[in-house]
Amino acid sequence: MIKIIFEKSKKIQNYIIPLTKAGYTVNINRNLDKAIKNILKSDQIEGGEVKKFSVFNNNRLENIFIVSLPEKIDNNSFFLELGHKVMKLIDKNGIDSIFLFPIEGRNNVKSFYKTELFLEGMLFACYNFDVYKSKRDERKELSVYLEDKVKLKNYFNSEKIGEINALYKSIFLARDLINMPPNDLTPQRFCEIATNELNKNLKIKIFDEFNIKELGMNLLYTVGKGSENRPRFLVIEYLGDESTNKKYAFVGKGVTFDSGGTNLKPTGSIETMKSDMSGAANMLALAKVVSESGLKLNATFYIPLAENTIGQTAYRPGDIVKSYSGKTVEILNTDAEGRLILADAISFAVKDKPDFIIDMATLTGACVVALGSDIAGCFSNNDNIYEEVYRYFRENGEHIVRLPLHKNYRERLKSKNADLQNISKKRTEAGAIMGALFLENFVEDTPWIHFDIAGTAFMEDNHPVYGEGGSGFGIRSLYRFLKSKEIM
């Protein structure tokens, strides 16, 4: 992790200097200032580039990482990417302490926020999943020195630094869970990890397969009954302010491995299905950081967990199952299982009458086809709550696009033999929309947002912010959105 230190003397040997179109204005000392100006005259650096230069100053070698900022930056993800890029370069050079100058100004709160995003990009680059390797990397803590200026110290105060550390410990937990192999991360194991990781100020309930069946959560039970690793339903309740009746609900899809069931996934699609519990991992991480930060609000996290495999007791196309809500669902495809377990969990959450519900799920391959791995799909039945959440995703440099809950498509989910069917009658059209419309049947009148993170949850290629594997996408934005709901 990163340790923040405020320093007056600037006796560090490694400097990170972000430069704007205004040029060099940092003023470290006479020798280094002259060397940097000479570098800038002789070496043209393009916007978004990071270059390392080594110069002698007072008979010692000092490293200068010049970070060139383009004239126009249209998204805050740029600062995350830049921080990630710098961290990789620092790591490559075996550096464990750097002096970082704020981005675009030294006494400006707006520039401090950009610097915070830059630091967060560095933190994303610090993550490494090597738990299953016989020889593990020993990463040292990186010390980041900042100027000992009053406004900067007020911004990066101990509370802020503690919050950032808590946030990234939670994000790293989510990434570890997403990257864990499915033979280790079963529904039961997920619950055990949650119990070990969460604070005692959280109320944790774990429903086993017998409880699930007794409750009437038959969709969740049905998806998970084909595996010897039976389903679980994890409910985490955080009461941060008992003086208010306001409460918020979060639901995360937890399919710890998705074979597709009887509708078996083909080679090319099945290899990364350990990541089909990313929504659950993200919600567990969110619960962890909310509790550790002591937010003054009330939130409950509902995590349905199941393994969708083939077995003698596995469900089949043609089965009809009664959901927790009472609605019956005809199964036409066993690979559309995520919406089934979410439907029961959402119905369970609705009964507690929350002010809003937010769910997160690796729901549809169609969303990946439409938006790729940089952008998550977002659906909502409430414009106000969507606009509020969108602002936090935009500010935090995480990309979402709102897709429509197109009312004309609702007819396509009506079954001849039951209330609903779990896939559309037109199977090649609007897959992400149909998944969201299915879930809409269970939210009733509750304000609701559904995130389809099928593309953003797990990176098969090296992403400029998240790297490879589990990403933890959306945890930062949802945490800061939730923090804005604190009762002051």
Side-chain angles (χ1 to χ4, degrees), residues 235-479:
V235 179
I236 305 163
E237 187 179 8
Y238 174 73
L239 293 175
D241 191 341
E242 295 182 4
S243 68
T244 178
N245 291 324
K246 285 186 174 293
K247 50 193 171 184
Y248 313 113
F250 294 86
V251 182
K253 173 189 169 184
V255 177
T256 56
F257 185 75
D258 181 20
S259 71
T262 307
N263 294 102
L264 186 67
K265 287 180 182 290
T267 298
S269 298
I270 200 170
E271 290 81 359
T272 59
M273 283 301 104
K274 66 179 183 180
S275 67
D276 211 19
M277 38 58 67
S278 298
N282 288 359
M283 291 311 178
L284 176 59
L286 186 60
K288 180 177 170 68
V289 68
V290 164
S291 65
E292 290 181 359
S293 299
L295 296 191
K296 295 180 176 63
L297 50 79
N298 304 316
T300 306
F301 304 83
Y302 303 87
I303 300 176
L305 297 153
E307 231 181 43
N308 185 28
T309 60
I310 301 172
Q312 288 182 337
T313 56
Y315 72 129
R316 301 142 297 216
D319 287 355
I320 294 178
V321 184
K322 186 178 182 181
S323 70
Y324 180 76
S325 72
K327 293 183 175 75
T328 54
V329 179
E330 184 177 15
I331 310 300
L332 296 186
N333 191 310
T334 61
D335 195 23
E337 85 299 328
R339 66 198 65 183
L340 299 176
I341 71 170
L342 283 174
D344 270 354
I346 287 170
S347 294
F348 194 93
V350 165
K351 288 208 168 184
D352 201 32
K353 301 189 185 311
D355 289 78
F356 62 71
I357 295 175
I358 293 177
D359 82 72
M360 190 169 268
T362 48
L363 204 69
T364 66
C367 196
V368 186
V369 172
L371 302 176
S373 58
D374 260 12
I375 307 167
C378 183
F379 300 82
S380 182
N381 63 359
N382 186 288
D383 292 342
N384 292 334
I385 194 74
Y386 167 76
E387 290 297 336
E388 201 175 343
V389 168
Y390 174 74
R391 178 165 67 87
Y392 284 91
F393 273 80
R394 185 182 68 246
E395 287 178 359
N396 283 280
E398 297 191 296
H399 304 292
I400 61 172
V401 167
R402 189 177 187 182
L403 298 172
L405 291 164
H406 190 54
K407 64 179 182 180
N408 290 353
Y409 293 168
R410 289 173 184 156
E411 288 289 321
R412 299 181 182 184
L413 289 172
K414 288 186 177 179
S415 166
K416 292 180 180 178
N417 305 307
D419 297 323
L420 296 166
Q421 56 190 44
N422 73 328
I423 60 170
S424 171
K425 292 171 183 174
K426 294 195 173 183
R427 302 191 181 192
T428 58
E429 288 187 8
I433 295 174
M434 298 314 303
L437 286 173
F438 180 86
L439 296 178
E440 185 189 35
N441 286 280
F442 301 89
V443 298
E444 298 182 8
D445 296 325
T446 310
W448 162 68
I449 293 179
H450 161 61
F451 287 100
D452 192 332
I453 58 168
T456 57
F458 187 88
M459 302 297 167
E460 295 188 53
D461 300 315
N462 197 7
H463 189 273
V465 174
Y466 308 110
E468 293 184 42
S471 69
F473 172 90
I475 298 169
R476 298 161 53 248
S477 301
L478 286 181
Y479 169 73

Side-chain angles (χ1 to χ4, degrees), residues 169 173 192-199 284 288 291-292:
K169 283 178 183 176
L173 170 63
E192 290 168 1
I193 292 171
T195 303
N196 291 332
E197 288 286 342
L198 295 176
N199 278 358
L284 176 59
K288 180 177 170 68
S291 65
E292 290 181 359

Side-chain angles (χ1 to χ4, degrees), residues 102-169:
I103 294 172
E104 293 187 307
R106 299 162 80 179
N107 284 294
N108 185 306
V109 172
K110 189 176 180 182
S111 77
F112 298 159
Y113 181 64
K114 293 174 182 177
T115 303
E116 183 181 351
L117 288 170
F118 183 89
L119 283 168
E120 291 196 48
M122 293 178 71
L123 278 163
F124 270 117
C126 285
Y127 177 78
N128 185 33
F129 185 71
D130 60 359
V131 176
Y132 292 88
K133 292 186 176 180
S134 54
K135 187 176 180 181
R136 300 180 64 181
D137 293 335
E138 291 186 15
R139 180 181 292 279
K140 295 179 181 178
E141 185 176 63
L142 177 71
S143 296
V144 177
Y145 290 81
L146 298 172
E147 290 181 292
D148 191 10
K149 301 283 187 182
V150 173
K151 287 186 178 179
L152 192 60
K153 287 181 76 172
N154 287 342
Y155 186 89
F156 287 104
N157 56 33
S158 58
E159 184 181 346
K160 165 76 79 174
I161 294 167
E163 184 179 59
I164 290 173
N165 281 331
L167 179 57
Y168 275 83
K169 283 178 183 176

